[in-house]
Amino acid sequence: MAVQQNKKSKSRKGMRRSHDHVAKPPVVYCQCGEARLPHAVCPSCGTYHGRQVIAKED
């Protein structure tokens, strides 16, 4: 079983964990004003790159 030889300081622990954070997703806004992910169809109006891809019922 692995046993640590020396105690890791709070600073070293923090430096090791500095890349473990959860990145916030990039958000772009559609022409209808809704937030959506880039390179994805808008869930509210169904457009992609200015053209209607999914027919939405009103």
Side-chain angles (χ1 to χ4, degrees), residues 29-46:
Y29 292 94
C30 181
Q31 59 194 5
C32 68
E34 285 289 321
R36 64 174 180 85
L37 293 174
H39 307 287
V41 176
C42 179
S44 65
C45 66

Side-chain angles (χ1 to χ4, degrees), residues 4-14 16:
Q4 76 180 33
Q5 297 296 313
N6 297 314
K7 179 182 176 180
K8 294 282 189 268
S9 68
K10 293 176 187 174
S11 175
R12 287 244 179 234
K13 180 173 65 172
R16 187 183 72 243

Side-chain angles (χ1 to χ4, degrees), residues 43-46 52 54-58:
S44 65
C45 66
Q52 193 70 28
I54 300 172
K56 287 288 184 173
E57 298 175 8
D58 291 331

